[in-house]
Amino acid sequence: MLQAFSLFTIPQARYGKINDVTPVRFRFSASKALVALHYMVRECDGIDLHAGLKACYFADKEHLNRYGRPIFGATYKAMKFGPVPLEIYEMAKGEALWLAELQMDRFPWRLEGYRLRLADNGHLDEDELSPSDWVCFHEGLAKSRGLDFNSRTAATHGADWQAANLGIMKYEDMLEDTEDKADRIVELQETAPFVRM
């Protein structure tokens, strides 16, 4: 029988035991983040970092709840103005580490202040994201762009953000409260490191 879930209790799984020491972690997909950032900048030239990064958060969280895996698998840090996907933020800033990882000389965008601007309208490999990835990404982008800064920030300050207490967020906290949440957490703890993003 499942216990009531709160920020201070761990639900009991029907099959297996939740490992409350090791959080669920996925392997980050830099190639998917590249496509998503390039698409955002191409479609919304001048999009601000807050809107772009929150679009990725909304999309990852929605895809996780619908399909059992995020799109990007980023590491989310709970910051004052909401979750920040750290690797995607680094890519948006143009960090060389991600250029090397992706075997590129430059990104097709540039950061001007806090806005991303299109720098190169090169090829966008839309096949890098699955159909379900695209659906959730479009929904996340529309949601993020449809909110002003304060509303967007408030929309990201849910239980998952609060549980992180300005630290690294846990994917298990991003799951909606459902009857099978504990079982989903156990399954993710066992499979997340092996999921192909």
Side-chain angles (χ1 to χ4, degrees), residues 8-67:
F8 304 104
T9 62
I10 296 177
Q12 297 300 308
R14 193 176 324 157
Y15 308 108
K17 184 174 187 304
I18 294 176
N19 177 344
D20 58 346
V21 176
T22 306
V24 172
R25 287 284 178 244
F26 293 91
R27 287 182 290 166
F28 175 64
S29 177
S31 57
K32 284 187 176 187
L34 170 68
V35 170
L37 283 167
H38 189 182
Y39 178 85
M40 272 192 282
V41 175
R42 192 177 73 180
E43 298 299 314
C44 319
D45 193 22
I47 189 168
D48 69 86
L49 277 175
H50 192 262
L53 297 175
K54 299 315 174 250
C56 294
Y57 164 74
F58 289 138
D60 249 0
K61 185 174 179 177
E62 188 60 35
H63 202 279
L64 174 68
N65 279 284
R66 284 187 198 171
Y67 304 106

Side-chain angles (χ1 to χ4, degrees), residues 98-155:
W98 295 110
L99 287 170
E101 174 79 17
L102 293 162
Q103 300 179 352
M104 299 176 70
D105 294 324
R106 66 184 188 285
F107 288 114
W109 61 81
R110 66 184 179 281
L111 185 61
E112 293 180 359
Y114 58 90
R115 295 197 175 275
L116 291 168
R117 300 279 181 197
L118 188 63
D120 178 3
N121 202 14
H123 176 69
L124 177 66
D125 185 6
E126 293 189 16
D127 291 336
E128 188 65 38
L129 273 67
S130 72
S132 65
D133 291 341
W134 277 115
V135 168
C136 291
F137 178 69
H138 282 294
E139 290 173 3
L141 182 57
K143 180 176 182 176
S144 185
R145 291 190 67 221
L147 299 170
D148 64 28
F149 183 89
N150 290 332
S151 299
R152 191 181 310 120
T153 298

